[in-house]
């Protein structure tokens, strides 16, 4: 039997194949809200079936479900995030994230950006990787040189479409992916107001292993299983 960490890449591959195949069969490849909701449910059902085939006592926690942090069994946080379409009729515009926790501590996380074929993953104490290449950010960027991305709910309505300057942009991707962009070095700072744990838990372990500072906007330690604001950066 595969270990949980060995099983996750296979799960991501199966999920990517299923949702891409279904979307391609959709007339004109138009992704509607109903199509997305249906596929989300199908993906969650697939993952639940596959995981419980080997690990019957593990607890699977999907978005909008409470996280049983006191459980003695391993807890899986699983979520599917839509992404911004870069090309007309693009079908693989989503990110799938899986985080594993035990005894109130995250110890493994995977985030798969399907459209860009990027697999981010981290093991507690074992580093973070992008497609098997080690990620590390040791530099500290001066704030006036840093590239910032801010979640739209952080901004005044008049500023949501017009950034204050060329180094400040409105975040267009899922929170999980925006955090990974900081870990990868595409941006230097990401801020968001109120986010649920499923949006950031898996990515939080990745940036911690990369060496990026991670906290709430108020400067307090981030708790992976509680709704929170986010401040992630190398500034």
């Amino acid at each position: 039997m595969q270990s949980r960490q060995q099983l996750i890449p296979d799960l991501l591959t199966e999920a990517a194949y299923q949702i891409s195949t279904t979307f391609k069969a959709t007339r004109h490849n138009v992704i509607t809200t109903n199509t997305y909701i249906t596929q989300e449910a199908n993906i969650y059902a697939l993952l639940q079936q596959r995981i419980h085939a080997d690990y019957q006592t593990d607890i699977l926690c999907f978005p909008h479900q409470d996280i049983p942090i006191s459980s003695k069994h391993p807890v899986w946080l699983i979520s599917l995030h839509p992404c911004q379409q870069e090309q007309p009729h693009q079908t693989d515009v989503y990110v799938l994230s899986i985080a594993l926790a035990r005894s109130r501590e995250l110890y493994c996380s995977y985030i798969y950006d399907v459209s860009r074929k990027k697999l981010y993953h981290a093991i507690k104490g074992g580093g973070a990787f992008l497609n098997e290449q080690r990620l590390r950010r040791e530099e500290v960027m001066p704030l006036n040189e840093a590239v910032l991305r801010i979640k739209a709910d952080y901004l005044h309505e008049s500023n949501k479409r017009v950034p204050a300057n060329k180094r400040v942009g409105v975040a267009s991707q899922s929170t999980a992916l925006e955090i990974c962009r900081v870990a990868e070095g595409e941006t230097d700072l990401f801020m968001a107001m109120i986010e649920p744990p499923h949006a950031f838990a898996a990515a939080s372990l990745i940036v911690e292993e990369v060496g990026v500072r991670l906290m709430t906007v108020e400067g307090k330690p981030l708790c992976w299983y509680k709704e929170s604001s986010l401040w992630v950066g190398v500034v």
Side-chain angles (χ1 to χ4, degrees):
M1 182 172 66
Q2 291 177 298
S3 70
R4 293 174 179 84
Q5 292 169 207
Q6 292 171 331
L7 176 61
I8 292 176
D10 289 346
L11 295 176
L12 296 174
T13 299
E14 289 182 35
Y17 176 78
Q18 176 170 313
I19 199 167
S20 296
T21 300
T22 304
F23 278 147
K24 287 177 181 177
T26 303
R27 186 180 180 184
H28 303 308
N29 288 339
V30 175
I31 303 175
T32 65
T33 300
N34 288 337
T35 301
Y36 180 81
I37 292 174
T38 299
Q39 284 312 300
E40 185 180 64
N42 290 340
I43 292 299
Y44 290 156
L46 168 68
L47 296 176
Q48 185 170 22
Q49 180 182 17
R50 290 280 283 106
I51 294 168
H52 279 165
D54 291 336
Y55 299 100
Q56 294 89 350
T57 60
D58 283 13
I59 297 175
L60 277 58
C61 187
F62 299 103
H64 312 301
Q65 293 180 331
D66 293 333
I67 301 172
I69 58 173
S70 298
S71 171
K72 64 180 180 179
H73 301 292
V75 176
W76 298 63
L77 272 69
I78 302 172
S79 53
L80 189 66
H81 312 283
C83 294
Q84 184 182 43
Q85 288 181 249
E86 296 182 343
Q87 300 175 5
H89 308 307
Q90 190 173 358
T91 60
D92 50 2
V93 284
Y94 70 95
V95 169
L96 183 64
S97 69
I98 298 178
L100 281 170
R102 183 187 289 117
S103 302
R104 298 192 176 209
E105 183 176 57
L106 292 174
Y107 69 90
C108 173
S109 70
Y110 282 76
I111 296 177
Y112 188 29
D113 179 0
V114 180
S115 64
R116 298 177 180 84
K117 301 297 186 290
K118 288 184 175 183
L119 177 62
Y120 305 86
H121 65 99
I123 305 297
K124 185 74 172 180
F129 301 82
L130 168 57
N131 294 341
E132 305 308 323
Q133 181 176 355
R134 183 73 178 260
L135 291 173
R136 196 72 194 171
R137 293 202 67 177
E138 298 178 348
E139 79 278 23
V140 176
M141 296 290 296
L143 185 58
N144 64 336
E145 297 179 9
V147 177
L148 287 68
R149 289 175 69 83
I150 304 175
K151 202 72 180 287
D153 55 7
Y154 213 110
L155 302 172
H156 187 275
E157 189 65 35
S158 61
N159 292 329
K160 289 184 180 181
R161 294 188 178 182
V162 183
N165 59 63
K166 63 181 181 180
R167 294 189 181 276
V168 180
V170 179
S172 58
Q173 304 293 349
S174 68
T175 294
L177 193 54
E178 292 288 352
I179 295 174
C180 286
R181 288 165 64 103
V182 178
E184 186 181 355
E186 290 189 1
T187 56
D188 303 308
L189 175 64
F190 170 67
M191 301 170 68
M193 283 302 290
I194 302 299
E195 294 290 309
H198 281 83
F200 63 80
S204 70
L205 180 58
I206 290 171
V207 293
E208 286 178 3
E209 289 297 317
V210 168
V212 173
R213 286 183 289 177
L214 174 70
M215 65 188 77
T216 69
V217 171
E218 297 78 17
K220 297 179 181 179
L222 182 68
C223 184
W224 67 266
Y225 53 82
K226 292 183 179 179
E227 185 178 77
S228 180
S229 61
L230 295 172
W231 190 100
V232 185
V234 290
V235 299

